[in-house]
Amino acid sequence: MNETRKVEIEEDVLGQNQMQANLNKEYFKERNIKCINIVSSPGSGKTSLLEQTLMKLKDINNICVIEGDQHTSNDADRIKATGVKALQINTENGCHLDAIMVKDAVNQMDIPNGSLLFIENVGNLVCPAMFHLGENIRVVVISVTEGDDKPLKYPYMFQSADVCIINKIDLLPYLKSDVSKIKSNALEVNPKLLFFEVSATTGDGIGRWLDFIKI
Amino acid sequence: MHELSLAMSIADIAKKTALKESATIVREIEIEVGDLAGVDTSALSFSLDAVIARDILFKDCKIQIHKLNESKKFVVKSIVID
């Protein structure tokens, strides 16, 4: 019979994910792969933004895409239709991608050196914030239909991002939305955010984003 | 509900330590959660109950969650084992 005893651990709960994220980051660095993790709530236009981006960049850069959704391969099918290599991860009951899922996807994909790798995370403005994937750049997308105070309501995601893309600006004439308010609210939680105002549907504002992201 | 995957990580950490210590049962898991860690403690508690119920190693295991102010800390602090 063992005696009852207390064992001190002090281990970070996210430590295992962070360790794999660091390995992913190293893998990308060794191969000159630029990895972009795209996060947002569902319906803000991540996939449309990617389609628009891929159509304009696929002849300039090698590009691969990892798609995360609970179910279906709809998004990967949309990406493949642009002629770009894509792999769908279905998280089933999971609400976010993690670094181990990304490692497994990368192992299956055979990504050429010097590629751009886009990861479209599960549409969710809460959970993916905590899980680093090893990305170089984290992009949060917000559409102008979502409410100007969204960055204040969901601060963790905006705090953890490097770039904020404000999408659907073609709809501004029909809405009460104020882009300067979205920006000031986002800057309140993260003063370092870099902004791009785009319409993934019409292509407005996409040029500046492409110049920023291309290799 | 990312708390479910967090609960699974906590159980993994506790189990790994328990096995290293050649324990036969884990009686208690102590966790510290900062208010800025982005974790909902009631969802975490609910998820942990569901996760540990699947493993005999955690039979009747108590979960202690300590909340910390103005902290991003989120750790498994200790376990009590036999």
Side-chain angles (χ1 to χ4, degrees):
Chain A
M1 183 83 187
N2 288 340
E3 82 185 87
T4 302
R5 61 199 191 277
K6 186 172 182 174
V7 181
E8 298 293 334
I9 303 179
E10 282 287 338
E11 184 171 334
D12 192 338
V13 175
L14 288 165
Q16 206 194 353
N17 185 73
Q18 191 56 51
M19 210 156 61
Q20 185 59 52
N22 293 343
L23 290 173
N24 291 351
K25 194 164 200 166
E26 216 166 283
Y27 179 96
F28 297 144
K29 194 180 169 192
E30 282 167 5
R31 290 161 179 77
N32 288 319
I33 294 168
K34 187 171 173 184
C35 176
I36 300 110
N37 178 12
I38 305 179
V39 294
S40 80
S41 44
S44 64
K46 289 186 296 302
T47 316
S48 301
L49 175 76
L50 267 177
E51 286 172 317
Q52 185 68 243
T53 304
L54 302 179
M55 290 309 286
K56 302 255 166 59
L57 279 190
K58 65 176 181 176
D59 296 330
I60 306 169
N61 290 151
N62 266 327
I63 307 180
C64 295
V65 178
I66 296 171
E67 283 287 340
D69 280 298
Q70 282 196 304
H71 290 281
T72 81
S73 63
N74 293 356
D75 282 2
D77 295 343
R78 280 172 66 182
I79 298 302
K80 283 176 190 162
T82 68
V84 168
K85 196 195 274 187
L87 187 124
Q88 180 79 49
I89 299 174
N90 282 140
T91 57
E92 308 276 335
N93 298 317
C95 46
H96 59 87
L97 294 178
D98 64 37
I100 294 156
M101 293 176 195
V102 168
K103 178 203 74 177
D104 292 342
V106 166
N107 283 343
Q108 286 177 53
M109 278 191 96
D110 192 22
I111 301 168
N113 287 2
S115 293
L116 264 176
L117 171 64
F118 291 99
I119 302 173
E120 183 180 339
N121 217 312
V122 177
N124 180 332
L125 212 48
V126 181
C127 309
M130 289 178 76
F131 295 85
H132 291 278
L133 306 178
E135 70 266 32
N136 302 101
I137 302 167
R138 186 176 292 190
V139 177
V140 60
V141 181
I142 175 174
S143 62
V144 293
T145 57
E146 292 178 44
D148 301 346
D149 57 352
K150 200 144 209 185
L152 301 177
K153 291 187 193 164
Y154 298 89
Y156 295 114
M157 193 61 93
F158 287 85
Q159 270 165 12
S160 73
D162 307 294
V163 170
C164 177
I165 292 185
I166 301 171
N167 190 23
K168 307 190 188 180
I169 55 168
D170 54 309
L171 298 180
L172 281 171
Y174 314 104
L175 302 168
K176 284 183 181 163
S177 180
D178 180 347
V179 170
S180 66
K181 235 181 226 167
I182 296 175
K183 283 186 179 175
S184 63
N185 285 335
L187 287 171
E188 200 173 306
V189 296
N190 181 355
K192 288 181 182 164
L193 270 179
L194 188 63
F195 292 97
F196 296 91
E197 296 167 38
V198 309
S199 164
T201 307
T202 65
D204 278 359
I206 284 287
R208 217 181 119 241
W209 157 247
L210 297 178
D211 287 340
F212 171 78
I213 211 70
K214 72 183 175 194
I215 299 178
Chain B
M1 257 295 272
H2 56 299
E3 282 78 8
L4 183 59
S5 55
L6 298 175
M8 289 162 80
S9 293
I10 290 168
D12 283 346
I13 291 169
K15 186 168 185 168
K16 183 183 69 184
T17 309
L19 294 179
K20 204 167 73 186
E21 298 283 331
S22 307
T24 51
I25 194 153
V26 178
R27 299 208 175 270
E28 190 180 307
I29 303 175
E30 190 184 14
I31 301 155
E32 285 185 340
V33 185
D35 54 351
L36 304 176
V39 179
D40 183 285
T41 48
S42 64
L44 181 66
S45 177
F46 175 80
S47 304
L48 269 168
D49 286 346
V51 168
I52 64 175
R54 299 189 309 184
D55 195 329
I56 191 86
L57 183 70
F58 299 112
K59 192 175 182 308
D60 300 325
C61 178
K62 278 194 206 122
I63 307 290
Q64 302 270 12
I65 299 180
H66 304 295
K67 297 185 192 182
L68 308 176
N69 286 332
E70 291 183 34
S71 168
K72 282 190 168 184
K73 197 172 177 185
F74 183 29
V75 298
V76 180
K77 192 164 170 52
S78 69
I79 54 173
V80 175
I81 52 173
D82 274 9

mmCIF file of all heavy atoms in Angstrom, chain A residues 52-90:
data_model
loop_
_atom_site.group_PDB
_atom_site.id
_atom_site.type_symbol
_atom_site.label_atom_id
_atom_site.label_comp_id
_atom_site.label_asym_id
_atom_site.label_seq_id
_atom_site.Cartn_x
_atom_site.Cartn_y
_atom_site.Cartn_z
ATOM 1 N N GLN A 52 -9.669 35.369 -52.599
ATOM 2 C CA GLN A 52 -9.238 36.601 -53.271
ATOM 3 C C GLN A 52 -7.697 36.706 -53.242
ATOM 4 O O GLN A 52 -7.066 37.041 -54.247
ATOM 5 C CB GLN A 52 -9.886 37.784 -52.527
ATOM 6 C CG GLN A 52 -9.702 39.146 -53.090
ATOM 7 C CD GLN A 52 -10.400 39.381 -54.418
ATOM 8 O OE1 GLN A 52 -9.730 39.621 -55.393
ATOM 9 N NE2 GLN A 52 -11.733 39.353 -54.458
ATOM 10 N N THR A 53 -7.103 36.375 -52.072
ATOM 11 C CA THR A 53 -5.649 36.458 -51.891
ATOM 12 C C THR A 53 -4.935 35.440 -52.790
ATOM 13 O O THR A 53 -3.943 35.769 -53.449
ATOM 14 C CB THR A 53 -5.294 36.186 -50.407
ATOM 15 O OG1 THR A 53 -6.018 37.112 -49.586
ATOM 16 C CG2 THR A 53 -3.810 36.340 -50.144
ATOM 17 N N LEU A 54 -5.463 34.218 -52.819
ATOM 18 C CA LEU A 54 -4.811 33.148 -53.577
ATOM 19 C C LEU A 54 -4.861 33.415 -55.078
ATOM 20 O O LEU A 54 -3.878 33.198 -55.789
ATOM 21 C CB LEU A 54 -5.485 31.800 -53.269
ATOM 22 C CG LEU A 54 -5.483 31.370 -51.794
ATOM 23 C CD1 LEU A 54 -6.190 30.037 -51.622
ATOM 24 C CD2 LEU A 54 -4.070 31.292 -51.257
ATOM 25 N N MET A 55 -6.007 33.903 -55.566
ATOM 26 C CA MET A 55 -6.146 34.171 -56.996
ATOM 27 C C MET A 55 -5.084 35.176 -57.456
ATOM 28 O O MET A 55 -4.555 35.069 -58.559
ATOM 29 C CB MET A 55 -7.549 34.720 -57.309
ATOM 30 C CG MET A 55 -8.676 33.711 -57.158
ATOM 31 S SD MET A 55 -8.395 32.157 -58.019
ATOM 32 C CE MET A 55 -8.655 32.642 -59.708
ATOM 33 N N LYS A 56 -4.766 36.134 -56.564
ATOM 34 C CA LYS A 56 -3.818 37.198 -56.946
ATOM 35 C C LYS A 56 -2.361 36.794 -56.705
ATOM 36 O O LYS A 56 -1.458 37.330 -57.333
ATOM 37 C CB LYS A 56 -4.127 38.460 -56.130
ATOM 38 C CG LYS A 56 -5.556 38.979 -56.311
ATOM 39 C CD LYS A 56 -5.571 40.209 -57.181
ATOM 40 C CE LYS A 56 -6.957 40.587 -57.684
ATOM 41 N NZ LYS A 56 -7.949 40.863 -56.661
ATOM 42 N N LEU A 57 -2.122 35.868 -55.746
ATOM 43 C CA LEU A 57 -0.733 35.566 -55.350
ATOM 44 C C LEU A 57 -0.211 34.228 -55.845
ATOM 45 O O LEU A 57 0.987 33.980 -55.798
ATOM 46 C CB LEU A 57 -0.604 35.593 -53.817
ATOM 47 C CG LEU A 57 -0.454 36.936 -53.117
ATOM 48 C CD1 LEU A 57 -0.096 36.701 -51.652
ATOM 49 C CD2 LEU A 57 0.608 37.813 -53.765
ATOM 50 N N LYS A 58 -1.106 33.356 -56.316
ATOM 51 C CA LYS A 58 -0.662 31.967 -56.570
ATOM 52 C C LYS A 58 0.364 31.868 -57.692
ATOM 53 O O LYS A 58 1.118 30.892 -57.739
ATOM 54 C CB LYS A 58 -1.867 31.061 -56.840
ATOM 55 C CG LYS A 58 -2.614 31.389 -58.093
ATOM 56 C CD LYS A 58 -3.731 30.401 -58.345
ATOM 57 C CE LYS A 58 -4.423 30.798 -59.634
ATOM 58 N NZ LYS A 58 -5.456 29.870 -60.030
ATOM 59 N N ASP A 59 0.406 32.860 -58.587
ATOM 60 C CA ASP A 59 1.407 32.807 -59.656
ATOM 61 C C ASP A 59 2.730 33.431 -59.217
ATOM 62 O O ASP A 59 3.727 33.333 -59.919
ATOM 63 C CB ASP A 59 0.877 33.523 -60.907
ATOM 64 C CG ASP A 59 -0.341 32.799 -61.468
ATOM 65 O OD1 ASP A 59 -0.406 31.559 -61.295
ATOM 66 O OD2 ASP A 59 -1.221 33.458 -62.050
ATOM 67 N N ILE A 60 2.723 34.097 -58.062
ATOM 68 C CA ILE A 60 3.944 34.765 -57.572
ATOM 69 C C ILE A 60 4.624 33.917 -56.505
ATOM 70 O O ILE A 60 5.841 33.779 -56.471
ATOM 71 C CB ILE A 60 3.595 36.150 -56.967
ATOM 72 C CG1 ILE A 60 2.800 36.995 -57.982
ATOM 73 C CG2 ILE A 60 4.857 36.883 -56.534
ATOM 74 C CD1 ILE A 60 2.203 38.251 -57.393
ATOM 75 N N ASN A 61 3.820 33.335 -55.581
ATOM 76 C CA ASN A 61 4.369 32.538 -54.468
ATOM 77 C C ASN A 61 3.834 31.113 -54.500
ATOM 78 O O ASN A 61 2.726 30.868 -54.985
ATOM 79 C CB ASN A 61 3.967 33.138 -53.120
ATOM 80 C CG ASN A 61 4.660 34.457 -52.806
ATOM 81 O OD1 ASN A 61 4.134 35.307 -52.112
ATOM 82 N ND2 ASN A 61 5.864 34.633 -53.318
ATOM 83 N N ASN A 62 4.629 30.173 -53.968
ATOM 84 C CA ASN A 62 4.108 28.842 -53.640
ATOM 85 C C ASN A 62 3.189 28.998 -52.439
ATOM 86 O O ASN A 62 3.594 29.584 -51.433
ATOM 87 C CB ASN A 62 5.249 27.913 -53.221
ATOM 88 C CG ASN A 62 5.778 27.116 -54.385
ATOM 89 O OD1 ASN A 62 5.033 26.762 -55.297
ATOM 90 N ND2 ASN A 62 7.067 26.859 -54.359
ATOM 91 N N ILE A 63 1.982 28.474 -52.527
ATOM 92 C CA ILE A 63 1.044 28.642 -51.410
ATOM 93 C C ILE A 63 0.405 27.303 -51.049
ATOM 94 O O ILE A 63 0.060 26.509 -51.933
ATOM 95 C CB ILE A 63 -0.079 29.646 -51.759
ATOM 96 C CG1 ILE A 63 0.521 30.969 -52.264
ATOM 97 C CG2 ILE A 63 -0.958 29.920 -50.532
ATOM 98 C CD1 ILE A 63 -0.508 32.023 -52.627
ATOM 99 N N CYS A 64 0.249 27.065 -49.742
ATOM 100 C CA CYS A 64 -0.520 25.931 -49.233
ATOM 101 C C CYS A 64 -1.494 26.451 -48.177
ATOM 102 O O CYS A 64 -1.230 27.462 -47.529
ATOM 103 C CB CYS A 64 0.381 24.891 -48.583
ATOM 104 S SG CYS A 64 1.503 24.098 -49.742
ATOM 105 N N VAL A 65 -2.603 25.739 -48.024
ATOM 106 C CA VAL A 65 -3.625 26.171 -47.069
ATOM 107 C C VAL A 65 -4.059 24.985 -46.202
ATOM 108 O O VAL A 65 -4.316 23.892 -46.713
ATOM 109 C CB VAL A 65 -4.861 26.755 -47.792
ATOM 110 C CG1 VAL A 65 -5.943 27.149 -46.784
ATOM 111 C CG2 VAL A 65 -4.474 27.963 -48.642
ATOM 112 N N ILE A 66 -4.118 25.222 -44.888
ATOM 113 C CA ILE A 66 -4.725 24.256 -43.968
ATOM 114 C C ILE A 66 -6.040 24.858 -43.496
ATOM 115 O O ILE A 66 -6.071 26.000 -43.024
ATOM 116 C CB ILE A 66 -3.806 23.973 -42.755
ATOM 117 C CG1 ILE A 66 -2.506 23.301 -43.214
ATOM 118 C CG2 ILE A 66 -4.529 23.111 -41.716
ATOM 119 C CD1 ILE A 66 -1.456 23.184 -42.120
ATOM 120 N N GLU A 67 -7.117 24.086 -43.659
ATOM 121 C CA GLU A 67 -8.450 24.569 -43.294
ATOM 122 C C GLU A 67 -8.935 23.878 -42.023
ATOM 123 O O GLU A 67 -8.877 22.641 -41.944
ATOM 124 C CB GLU A 67 -9.441 24.262 -44.422
ATOM 125 C CG GLU A 67 -9.339 25.188 -45.615
ATOM 126 C CD GLU A 67 -9.889 26.567 -45.307
ATOM 127 O OE1 GLU A 67 -10.663 26.692 -44.339
ATOM 128 O OE2 GLU A 67 -9.536 27.520 -46.016
ATOM 129 N N GLY A 68 -9.422 24.621 -41.058
ATOM 130 C CA GLY A 68 -9.982 24.032 -39.852
ATOM 131 C C GLY A 68 -11.470 24.316 -39.737
ATOM 132 O O GLY A 68 -11.894 25.470 -39.805
ATOM 133 N N ASP A 69 -12.256 23.257 -39.630
ATOM 134 C CA ASP A 69 -13.701 23.382 -39.383
ATOM 135 C C ASP A 69 -14.134 22.187 -38.562
ATOM 136 O O ASP A 69 -13.492 21.142 -38.603
ATOM 137 C CB ASP A 69 -14.499 23.378 -40.701
ATOM 138 C CG ASP A 69 -14.483 24.728 -41.390
ATOM 139 O OD1 ASP A 69 -14.992 25.695 -40.790
ATOM 140 O OD2 ASP A 69 -13.961 24.809 -42.518
ATOM 141 N N GLN A 70 -15.267 22.321 -37.875
ATOM 142 C CA GLN A 70 -15.774 21.174 -37.133
ATOM 143 C C GLN A 70 -16.143 20.036 -38.087
ATOM 144 O O GLN A 70 -15.795 18.894 -37.878
ATOM 145 C CB GLN A 70 -16.996 21.584 -36.302
ATOM 146 C CG GLN A 70 -16.620 22.332 -35.031
ATOM 147 C CD GLN A 70 -17.773 22.369 -34.052
ATOM 148 O OE1 GLN A 70 -18.858 22.833 -34.387
ATOM 149 N NE2 GLN A 70 -17.549 21.902 -32.849
ATOM 150 N N HIS A 71 -16.883 20.390 -39.127
ATOM 151 C CA HIS A 71 -17.328 19.372 -40.079
ATOM 152 C C HIS A 71 -17.228 19.887 -41.515
ATOM 153 O O HIS A 71 -17.125 21.087 -41.718
ATOM 154 C CB HIS A 71 -18.790 18.969 -39.800
ATOM 155 C CG HIS A 71 -18.950 18.185 -38.518
ATOM 156 N ND1 HIS A 71 -18.657 16.848 -38.431
ATOM 157 C CD2 HIS A 71 -19.330 18.576 -37.293
ATOM 158 C CE1 HIS A 71 -18.872 16.438 -37.185
ATOM 159 N NE2 HIS A 71 -19.275 17.475 -36.475
ATOM 160 N N THR A 72 -17.306 19.010 -42.454
ATOM 161 C CA THR A 72 -17.297 19.207 -43.916
ATOM 162 C C THR A 72 -15.925 19.603 -44.466
ATOM 163 O O THR A 72 -15.079 20.120 -43.740
ATOM 164 C CB THR A 72 -18.317 20.275 -44.433
ATOM 165 O OG1 THR A 72 -17.764 21.591 -44.252
ATOM 166 C CG2 THR A 72 -19.662 20.147 -43.775
ATOM 167 N N SER A 73 -15.765 19.372 -45.760
ATOM 168 C CA SER A 73 -14.538 19.809 -46.437
ATOM 169 C C SER A 73 -14.871 20.957 -47.384
ATOM 170 O O SER A 73 -14.146 21.221 -48.335
ATOM 171 C CB SER A 73 -13.926 18.634 -47.200
ATOM 172 O OG SER A 73 -14.835 18.203 -48.207
ATOM 173 N N ASN A 74 -15.966 21.661 -47.117
ATOM 174 C CA ASN A 74 -16.424 22.725 -48.012
ATOM 175 C C ASN A 74 -15.358 23.786 -48.255
ATOM 176 O O ASN A 74 -15.141 24.229 -49.382
ATOM 177 C CB ASN A 74 -17.673 23.412 -47.433
ATOM 178 C CG ASN A 74 -18.871 22.487 -47.405
ATOM 179 O OD1 ASN A 74 -18.783 21.354 -47.879
ATOM 180 N ND2 ASN A 74 -19.979 22.944 -46.842
ATOM 181 N N ASP A 75 -14.685 24.207 -47.169
ATOM 182 C CA ASP A 75 -13.712 25.291 -47.320
ATOM 183 C C ASP A 75 -12.485 24.831 -48.105
ATOM 184 O O ASP A 75 -11.997 25.555 -48.977
ATOM 185 C CB ASP A 75 -13.308 25.849 -45.948
ATOM 186 C CG ASP A 75 -14.372 26.789 -45.387
ATOM 187 O OD1 ASP A 75 -15.423 26.952 -46.059
ATOM 188 O OD2 ASP A 75 -14.161 27.353 -44.312
ATOM 189 N N ALA A 76 -12.007 23.621 -47.802
ATOM 190 C CA ALA A 76 -10.852 23.104 -48.558
ATOM 191 C C ALA A 76 -11.224 22.951 -50.031
ATOM 192 O O ALA A 76 -10.408 23.227 -50.915
ATOM 193 C CB ALA A 76 -10.389 21.777 -47.970
ATOM 194 N N ASP A 77 -12.469 22.558 -50.304
ATOM 195 C CA ASP A 77 -12.916 22.425 -51.698
ATOM 196 C C ASP A 77 -12.893 23.781 -52.401
ATOM 197 O O ASP A 77 -12.500 23.886 -53.564
ATOM 198 C CB ASP A 77 -14.346 21.834 -51.753
ATOM 199 C CG ASP A 77 -14.377 20.393 -51.225
ATOM 200 O OD1 ASP A 77 -13.296 19.771 -51.145
ATOM 201 O OD2 ASP A 77 -15.479 19.920 -50.879
ATOM 202 N N ARG A 78 -13.307 24.826 -51.677
ATOM 203 C CA ARG A 78 -13.286 26.181 -52.271
ATOM 204 C C ARG A 78 -11.849 26.608 -52.576
ATOM 205 O O ARG A 78 -11.577 27.223 -53.604
ATOM 206 C CB ARG A 78 -13.931 27.191 -51.304
ATOM 207 C CG ARG A 78 -15.451 27.182 -51.344
ATOM 208 C CD ARG A 78 -16.049 28.032 -50.248
ATOM 209 N NE ARG A 78 -15.760 29.462 -50.389
ATOM 210 C CZ ARG A 78 -16.151 30.390 -49.505
ATOM 211 N NH1 ARG A 78 -16.844 30.037 -48.444
ATOM 212 N NH2 ARG A 78 -15.856 31.656 -49.696
ATOM 213 N N ILE A 79 -10.938 26.276 -51.657
ATOM 214 C CA ILE A 79 -9.528 26.648 -51.865
ATOM 215 C C ILE A 79 -8.942 25.872 -53.043
ATOM 216 O O ILE A 79 -8.265 26.431 -53.910
ATOM 217 C CB ILE A 79 -8.697 26.379 -50.581
ATOM 218 C CG1 ILE A 79 -9.210 27.220 -49.407
ATOM 219 C CG2 ILE A 79 -7.210 26.638 -50.832
ATOM 220 C CD1 ILE A 79 -9.221 28.703 -49.607
ATOM 221 N N LYS A 80 -9.224 24.559 -53.092
ATOM 222 C CA LYS A 80 -8.689 23.731 -54.179
ATOM 223 C C LYS A 80 -9.186 24.225 -55.535
ATOM 224 O O LYS A 80 -8.484 24.109 -56.538
ATOM 225 C CB LYS A 80 -9.100 22.267 -53.973
ATOM 226 C CG LYS A 80 -8.274 21.563 -52.895
ATOM 227 C CD LYS A 80 -8.788 20.156 -52.666
ATOM 228 C CE LYS A 80 -8.143 19.530 -51.436
ATOM 229 N NZ LYS A 80 -8.893 18.372 -50.935
ATOM 230 N N ALA A 81 -10.396 24.777 -55.559
ATOM 231 C CA ALA A 81 -10.954 25.301 -56.813
ATOM 232 C C ALA A 81 -10.130 26.464 -57.363
ATOM 233 O O ALA A 81 -10.193 26.770 -58.548
ATOM 234 C CB ALA A 81 -12.412 25.728 -56.594
ATOM 235 N N THR A 82 -9.340 27.121 -56.502
ATOM 236 C CA THR A 82 -8.472 28.207 -56.998
ATOM 237 C C THR A 82 -7.161 27.640 -57.549
ATOM 238 O O THR A 82 -6.329 28.386 -58.059
ATOM 239 C CB THR A 82 -8.112 29.207 -55.869
ATOM 240 O OG1 THR A 82 -7.270 28.550 -54.911
ATOM 241 C CG2 THR A 82 -9.344 29.749 -55.165
ATOM 242 N N GLY A 83 -6.967 26.314 -57.404
ATOM 243 C CA GLY A 83 -5.742 25.698 -57.914
ATOM 244 C C GLY A 83 -4.646 25.606 -56.872
ATOM 245 O O GLY A 83 -3.512 25.253 -57.188
ATOM 246 N N VAL A 84 -4.961 25.924 -55.633
ATOM 247 C CA VAL A 84 -3.963 25.892 -54.556
ATOM 248 C C VAL A 84 -4.142 24.622 -53.730
ATOM 249 O O VAL A 84 -5.266 24.168 -53.505
ATOM 250 C CB VAL A 84 -4.089 27.161 -53.661
ATOM 251 C CG1 VAL A 84 -3.285 27.014 -52.376
ATOM 252 C CG2 VAL A 84 -3.641 28.395 -54.436
ATOM 253 N N LYS A 85 -3.013 24.066 -53.269
ATOM 254 C CA LYS A 85 -3.044 22.840 -52.460
ATOM 255 C C LYS A 85 -3.672 23.142 -51.096
ATOM 256 O O LYS A 85 -3.255 24.092 -50.418
ATOM 257 C CB LYS A 85 -1.612 22.344 -52.268
ATOM 258 C CG LYS A 85 -1.522 20.910 -51.792
ATOM 259 C CD LYS A 85 -0.135 20.578 -51.275
ATOM 260 C CE LYS A 85 0.812 20.144 -52.366
ATOM 261 N NZ LYS A 85 2.101 19.677 -51.804
ATOM 262 N N ALA A 86 -4.662 22.328 -50.692
ATOM 263 C CA ALA A 86 -5.330 22.569 -49.403
ATOM 264 C C ALA A 86 -5.598 21.261 -48.686
ATOM 265 O O ALA A 86 -5.817 20.226 -49.321
ATOM 266 C CB ALA A 86 -6.646 23.299 -49.624
ATOM 267 N N LEU A 87 -5.553 21.311 -47.372
ATOM 268 C CA LEU A 87 -5.875 20.141 -46.558
ATOM 269 C C LEU A 87 -6.890 20.541 -45.490
ATOM 270 O O LEU A 87 -6.731 21.566 -44.830
ATOM 271 C CB LEU A 87 -4.605 19.595 -45.887
ATOM 272 C CG LEU A 87 -4.806 18.278 -45.150
ATOM 273 C CD1 LEU A 87 -3.832 17.235 -45.701
ATOM 274 C CD2 LEU A 87 -4.578 18.412 -43.661
ATOM 275 N N GLN A 88 -7.946 19.749 -45.369
ATOM 276 C CA GLN A 88 -8.998 20.052 -44.391
ATOM 277 C C GLN A 88 -8.765 19.283 -43.101
ATOM 278 O O GLN A 88 -8.562 18.069 -43.122
ATOM 279 C CB GLN A 88 -10.365 19.670 -44.963
ATOM 280 C CG GLN A 88 -11.537 19.948 -44.046
ATOM 281 C CD GLN A 88 -11.951 21.423 -44.048
ATOM 282 O OE1 GLN A 88 -12.124 22.019 -45.095
ATOM 283 N NE2 GLN A 88 -12.100 21.991 -42.859
ATOM 284 N N ILE A 89 -8.776 19.986 -41.975
ATOM 285 C CA ILE A 89 -8.812 19.329 -40.664
ATOM 286 C C ILE A 89 -10.232 19.469 -40.143
ATOM 287 O O ILE A 89 -10.767 20.582 -40.108
ATOM 288 C CB ILE A 89 -7.857 20.006 -39.650
ATOM 289 C CG1 ILE A 89 -6.406 19.943 -40.119
ATOM 290 C CG2 ILE A 89 -8.000 19.363 -38.269
ATOM 291 C CD1 ILE A 89 -5.439 20.726 -39.221
ATOM 292 N N ASN A 90 -10.850 18.350 -39.746
ATOM 293 C CA ASN A 90 -12.154 18.416 -39.073
ATOM 294 C C ASN A 90 -11.931 18.188 -37.590
ATOM 295 O O ASN A 90 -11.479 17.120 -37.175
ATOM 296 C CB ASN A 90 -13.132 17.376 -39.629
ATOM 297 C CG ASN A 90 -13.729 17.811 -40.957
ATOM 298 O OD1 ASN A 90 -13.892 17.013 -41.854
ATOM 299 N ND2 ASN A 90 -14.049 19.090 -41.097
#
